[in-house]
Amino acid sequence: MCCEKQEPCTPRHLETASRRESESLDEKSIGLMVAEEPRRAAVFESFAIDYCCGGKRTLAQACENAGVSIAIVKSAIEELPDLSGEAEPNWLQADLKELACHIENTHHAFLKKELPRLKLLSEKVAAVHGSKDERLIKVREVFAALKEELEEHTLKEERVLFPYICALASARAPIPVPFGTVANPVRCMEAEHDEAGNALSRLRELTDSFQAPASACASWTALLAGFAALEQDLHRHIHKENSILFPRAVVAEEALMRNAVH
Ligand SMILES: [Fe+2]
Ligand SMILES: [Fe+2]
């Protein structure tokens, strides 16, 4: 006995429930799908589907844009083993402050460690091999600009936006802020996420999808492995902000405003 109306689960019931679930996935935003089950991120990545900056699209739209069959993507999602209890916390329900701290301590900390290391590597590889492969000079330039943008971006989040979001989590009345409403800095941060996503795509293009040539030295190979890890972490990072932290902050602020009026 496991169905809503306490009827026995015959194969027909299961089939209908599974078809309903599968159909409902088509119109769900892929950002929400990953927020509900973070392990879906790996499935989207395997099909080169952007679930972070492009997280507001439905599964159907995202599959169409990526040129992949929605049926194949859905079956990969449905085949994920049930690992309840082993997954990340449910960030849709966690305290906003806890989520902001997690982003800062995990993803911002990763950037602080990796960006300077990758900058040195990109400079070294461009200096040594740039004459053989001119794209490495461009890689150095694109990465240097990305590093600078990400450092400024995370600083704005840590100094302005996140402290406000943390304060929202425990506020009982609207908090006066110089930026009007949280939707304003959120829009700005989302636009900067798009720019970072574009820079990463450019790095991917310039490096044959982060594939080092057979003759590449250890530094070149390490640089491309570092870019691949940076891309993966940035996808998860931006997803948690665009699809979970920011929309929840907007809702929390709206609730405070409504309560203040009544
Ligand atoms: Fe961030
Ligand atoms: Fe961000």
Side-chain angles (χ1 to χ4, degrees), residues 18-28 74 78:
S18 144
R19 200 178 316 121
R20 218 179 290 128
E21 162 73 5
S22 173
E23 282 164 4
S24 73
L25 284 183
D26 291 22
E27 295 312 317
K28 199 174 262 194
K74 279 202 290 191
E78 283 155 7

Side-chain angles (χ1 to χ4, degrees), residues 2 11 19 23 34 40 43 48 50 62 116 118 120-121 123 125 151 153 162 208 210-211 215 239-240:
C2 55
R19 200 178 316 121
E23 282 164 4
V34 176
R40 288 172 176 162
V43 174
D50 167 20
L118 294 175
L120 286 179
L121 270 178
E123 285 166 354
V125 171
E151 284 171 344
H153 175 87
F162 286 10
D208 304 319
F210 309 136
Q211 293 301 311
S215 59
H239 157 70
K240 285 174 193 165

Side-chain angles (χ1 to χ4, degrees), residues 103 108 153-154 157 162 193 237 241:
I103 290 173
H108 290 197
H153 175 87
T154 47
E157 287 180 338
F162 286 10
H193 291 163
H237 176 178
E241 292 176 357

Side-chain angles (χ1 to χ4, degrees), residues 37-231:
E37 173 45 87
R39 290 175 311 125
R40 288 172 176 162
V43 174
F44 289 138
E45 279 159 3
S46 71
F47 290 103
I49 291 176
D50 167 20
Y51 63 90
C52 55
C53 294
K56 289 179 184 160
R57 294 169 306 164
T58 63
L59 179 61
Q61 290 165 335
C63 288
E64 198 183 330
N65 290 358
V68 295
S69 151
I70 189 168
I72 293 175
V73 175
K74 279 202 290 191
S75 91
I77 288 169
E78 283 155 7
E79 278 164 18
L80 279 170
D82 181 9
L83 297 175
S84 358
E86 293 183 25
E88 269 197 64
N90 182 342
W91 296 120
L92 287 170
Q93 276 158 23
D95 184 75
L96 275 180
K97 196 171 175 179
E98 191 191 336
L99 174 54
C101 287
H102 160 77
I103 290 173
E104 201 170 319
N105 295 336
T106 307
H107 301 293
H108 290 197
F110 174 84
L111 290 175
K112 280 178 188 138
K113 180 170 70 73
E114 281 299 277
L115 292 175
R117 185 182 78 88
L118 294 175
K119 182 162 189 284
L120 286 179
L121 270 178
S122 68
E123 285 166 354
K124 183 177 168 190
V125 171
V128 178
H129 302 289
S131 55
K132 276 182 288 178
D133 186 344
E134 286 180 3
R135 296 182 304 170
L136 293 171
I137 308 290
K138 194 71 195 162
V139 164
R140 182 189 61 200
E141 286 168 19
V142 172
F143 183 75
L146 172 65
K147 174 180 181 287
E148 204 170 308
E149 283 167 17
L150 283 174
E151 284 171 344
E152 281 175 21
H153 175 87
T154 47
L155 204 62
K156 283 186 269 186
E157 287 180 338
E158 289 173 15
R159 295 210 174 148
V160 182
L161 185 54
F162 286 10
Y164 176 64
I165 291 176
C166 290
L168 271 181
S170 50
R172 291 171 179 271
I175 307 161
V177 277
F179 44 75
T181 79
V182 73
N184 292 324
V186 158
R187 240 188 324 272
C188 176
M189 294 300 106
E190 286 180 345
E192 291 180 4
H193 291 163
D194 288 346
E195 283 166 24
N198 292 339
L200 271 171
S201 302
R202 183 77 183 114
L203 287 174
R204 207 175 231 288
E205 266 170 40
L206 288 165
T207 59
D208 304 319
S209 293
F210 309 136
Q211 293 301 311
S215 59
C217 65
S219 298
W220 193 342
T221 307
L223 175 67
L224 300 192
F227 283 167
L230 173 70
E231 182 189 65

